[in-house]
Amino acid sequence: MPAGGPKQALGGVVFSLLPRIGLSLSMLLGVCTLVFLLIHLVPGDPVEVMLGEGARPADQEALRHALGLDRPLAVQYLEYLGRLARLDLGMSLHAQRPVLDLLSERVGPTLELAVASLSLAIVLAIPLGVLAAHYRGRGVDRAAMTFSMLGAAIPNFWLGPLLILVFSLWLGWTPVSGREGALSLVLPAVTLGTGLAAVLARMVRSSVLEVLGEDYVRTARAKGLGPLAVLWRHALRNAWLPILTLIGLQFGALLGGAVITETVFSWPGLGSLLVEAIQTRDYPLVQGAVLLIALTYLAVNTLTDLLYVAIDPRVRAV
């Protein structure tokens, strides 16, 4: 290895990520601009929501002036970007609290639900996908793909209430809703995790089947390696890149807030907070929540790129 090899390799990885980081920053600016424009152009007045439709016009104008909503959109936009540069997300119009505080309170529950759901999905999907690929066309394959089709077809807004009816109301094993202890996490995680596992299992099966046809897999078999060693040490290891991509996208979506599931189970996460902010026309809170979701996607995608290099060093040469 040449002198400074590890440092040179690390520098190459960082340099290869610079265009991606620049693109991510430009996308983040585009998201901020788009959300700012849409939230101001959608019909509705947050002042009427806060004061009620029966409030006097003079009181409405006074509050609108105090909140800065009577200024031109261009001025409000520039002020918004200036606050973002100072990491100031502003004050919630409805709660009258810093947006950053409200978001920080909801990140923990969302992260908890995302990790539990994705862990369940991986535990279910990896063995199912590998076994389906190994027993292609047999009963195990058909059973795994049937589960995958059902999991992808059943919507969360139907599965969630069904699980509540069976396990909370009939059996009394879990709380109906809310976030009260470990048992309250079970049903939301199962609702999200089964759908993710269904999609992930199909990806695992497809990726492993593609790798099983490669020459090095046939060589491993010719050397006398057993089926399990071929599957886990050779096929699955080399099939990880597309699987990792899907896991990263799913994890980013979960951290962005599983709106339907959080609403069904009254889970106090980012998704339910965003719905509440939209209903109350809370401009700063909506912008802050969407900005956090966009940052989450960008961070997860960048981390996925780094994991590509760790799993397959050939990616550095691309």
Side-chain angles (χ1 to χ4, degrees):
M1 179 179 292
K7 293 183 178 179
Q8 185 178 2
L10 180 60
V13 173
V14 174
F15 182 77
S16 65
L17 287 178
L18 287 179
R20 180 62 179 267
I21 295 174
L23 178 62
S24 299
L25 292 176
S26 62
M27 291 175 58
L28 184 61
L29 178 61
V31 168
C32 295
T33 304
L34 184 62
V35 171
F36 178 87
L37 293 176
L38 288 178
I39 200 66
H40 281 78
L41 294 177
V42 171
D45 188 353
V47 173
E48 290 186 1
V49 175
M50 296 172 67
L51 296 180
E53 297 181 358
R56 295 182 302 175
D59 295 335
Q60 293 182 354
E61 290 301 323
L63 181 58
R64 189 173 288 107
H65 177 73
L67 297 175
L69 299 178
D70 57 344
R71 301 173 186 175
L73 280 181
V75 175
Q76 295 184 48
Y77 176 67
L78 292 177
E79 291 179 348
Y80 173 62
L81 293 182
R83 290 195 301 270
L84 285 182
R86 301 190 302 270
L87 300 180
D88 179 12
L89 299 180
M91 295 285 293
S92 168
L93 301 182
H94 183 72
Q96 290 299 302
R97 293 179 56 196
V99 171
L100 194 59
D101 292 348
L102 294 173
L103 293 177
S104 62
E105 293 174 358
R106 300 297 188 101
V107 168
T110 294
L111 181 61
E112 181 182 311
L113 179 59
V115 171
S117 303
L118 192 60
S119 300
L120 176 63
I122 293 174
V123 168
L124 291 176
I126 300 298
L128 279 178
V130 172
L131 290 175
H134 181 62
Y135 296 102
R136 181 181 181 181
R138 304 181 191 177
V140 175
D141 184 19
R142 288 192 291 269
M145 290 304 98
T146 300
F147 163 78
S148 178
M149 291 180 61
L150 289 175
I154 297 176
N156 291 345
F157 63 81
W158 184 85
L159 180 60
L162 179 63
L163 293 178
I164 292 175
L165 181 64
V166 175
F167 293 99
S168 297
L169 299 181
W170 290 356
L171 299 177
W173 291 353
T174 61
V176 175
S177 61
R179 182 173 175 251
E180 301 174 359
L183 285 178
S184 61
L185 179 62
V186 174
L187 295 188
V190 170
T191 302
L192 283 175
T194 51
L196 298 180
V199 178
L200 187 58
R202 296 183 69 88
M203 175 61 74
V204 172
R205 177 183 182 272
S206 176
S207 299
V208 172
L209 280 177
E210 183 177 352
V211 172
L212 286 176
E214 298 291 338
D215 292 338
Y216 58 84
V217 174
R218 287 193 288 267
T219 301
R221 288 171 174 164
K223 290 181 177 179
L225 289 180
L228 290 179
V230 170
L231 278 174
W232 297 104
R233 290 172 52 188
H234 294 273
L236 184 60
R237 183 177 180 181
N238 289 279
W240 263 112
L241 288 187
I243 298 171
L244 185 62
T245 300
L246 182 58
I247 291 176
L249 291 174
Q250 289 180 333
F251 191 58
L254 290 174
L255 287 178
V259 177
I260 296 177
T261 302
E262 289 186 0
T263 302
V264 169
F265 290 95
S266 298
W267 190 261
L270 284 175
S272 57
L273 178 65
L274 182 57
V275 171
E276 296 168 6
I278 293 174
Q279 291 174 343
T280 57
R281 304 288 298 169
D282 197 333
Y283 296 150
L285 187 53
V286 172
Q287 292 165 347
V290 174
L291 178 62
L292 179 58
I293 291 172
L295 281 173
T296 299
Y297 268 104
L298 296 178
V300 169
N301 288 335
T302 303
L303 180 60
T304 303
D305 289 341
L306 293 174
L307 289 177
Y308 284 169
V309 179
I311 293 176
D312 191 349
R314 293 173 300 178
V315 176
R316 297 175 192 161
V318 177

